[in-house]
Amino acid sequence: MLPSRLCIMRKLPSVLARTLTSGTTGSPVLLDMFEGHSPIHVNNVRNKLRDIVGASTNWSDHVQAMQERKALHTLLAKRQEDLPPRRMKDSYLEVILPLGSQPEIREKYLNVHNSVRFGRILEDLDSLGVLICYTHTKQEMQPKSPLSIVTALVDKINLCKKIIYPDCDIKFTGNVSWVGKTSMEVTMHMLQLHDGDYSPVLDATFVMVARDPENKRPAFVNPLVPESPEEEEIFKQGELNKLRRIEFSTASLLKMAPTAEERNIVHDIFLHTLDTKTVSFRSRKLPPNSVWMEDAKLKGLQICHPQERNIFNRIFGGFLMRKAFELGWATACSYGGSRPFIVSVDDIMFQKPVEIGSLLLLSAQVSYTEKNYIQIRVHSEVYDANTREHHTTNIFHFTFISENEVPRVVPNTYGESMLYLDGKRHFDAVMKEI
């Protein structure tokens, strides 16, 4: 079973959190804060994004559309101070996914276990996050936005339900919760209708960045002005999230040596895998109920077709997340021998855009296990057939929980030991959250 803490939304002391969950508590105290916001059908989100940017639905028109966007350079602000400040409620949006009331859209979201495909939810969250940011930066006198807003990071997605039902309506809500000079943090929630009330399913934090019309240089975005002590607390949390991400990146095992405690963990694993029948550092033996890390991976390949493009004619980030999640889920399923359930998604870095026509190589690795938890790391890279070069585009981290206790994954090399420690760091961070 999932820890009981997962069954509660994070208790943000905020106006927004209380308003978003008011449908489940029956509290009418702050509902008027977001009055006048008509819910958007999930199918209309991408259409709205195309209208804002001026993108065509036809692939053959994409070159002309991108050329037209170059002229929007003159609309960019020279300083952030030149842009009007915005409130949190100015960017608030609601999106409806009517799985219950419109069964014709249900099959797209259905998996073999008769529940909702979480990969599809990742796609919807990514699109909604971008639309929220465009709502925050909208200028009334500009029919098209000069900004190219893209997903830079999925900070975290924490779930409080193991199963998302395929025959009950879903509601997404969200708003900009923190703003820097050229970046925005978006907080989103997903709720599902049961017995007349919407109950929490997950909450998510994405970081978006704004760039110029050609997506080449950073661009300024409207500042965010908190209006109450509760909103001040939300904004402050955004600052803390930024500092935490910097600290986590600075301490990366790709930059710094493991801590003394982590070195002891690696050495202890090494000692427990030595073959006691020989006196040799090279003679290794797998402990009972364990799997070598080398034997706990799966790989996949995707050809990136125009159908999966975003409004800027690169591969849609939500598509990348869906494919990475599905490979990660398959890896956890084959490793644990039973159906795994997603607990958390964290620290997805979008390091490089994926161009249409690319060969996308995905590699999923069990990086850490504990009891019935499985930590999965998915590495994404593109292969250029002309130069024969590989470039990393994304790193994904997923935490799954299996129905039964799973074997312990064991590193065999120093590089695998670093993957193991990195997986443990991500797992420990998730456990602190939930």
Side-chain angles (χ1 to χ4, degrees), residues 73-174:
H73 270 283
T74 58
L75 301 178
L76 292 174
K78 300 294 189 295
R79 306 178 306 158
Q80 188 180 38
E81 292 76 16
D82 296 334
L83 294 169
R86 294 288 157 78
R87 303 166 296 178
M88 290 189 183
K89 66 181 180 181
D90 290 335
S91 61
Y92 175 81
L93 291 178
E94 290 187 4
V95 170
I96 296 297
L97 172 55
L99 296 178
S101 54
Q102 294 183 14
E104 63 272 13
I105 68 173
R106 193 177 299 165
E107 187 167 322
K108 175 183 174 182
Y109 289 83
L110 191 65
N111 66 26
V112 70
H113 298 287
N114 198 35
S115 60
V116 168
R117 295 171 61 184
F118 184 69
R120 292 294 188 192
I121 299 301
L122 291 175
E123 290 184 320
D124 291 338
L125 287 172
D126 192 50
S127 295
L128 174 58
V130 175
L131 183 58
I132 287 171
C133 289
Y134 273 119
T135 304
H136 173 83
T137 58
K138 182 180 179 181
Q139 305 294 334
E140 295 298 334
M141 302 302 293
Q142 298 176 0
K144 295 180 183 178
S145 174
L147 299 176
S148 299
I149 297 176
V150 296
T151 307
L153 170 73
V154 177
D155 190 8
K156 53 195 167 188
I157 302 174
N158 291 334
L159 288 90
C160 63
K161 294 286 179 66
K162 288 177 68 174
I163 295 176
I164 305 173
Y165 298 100
D167 54 357
C168 298
D169 286 0
I170 286 173
K171 177 167 67 174
F172 299 97
T173 62

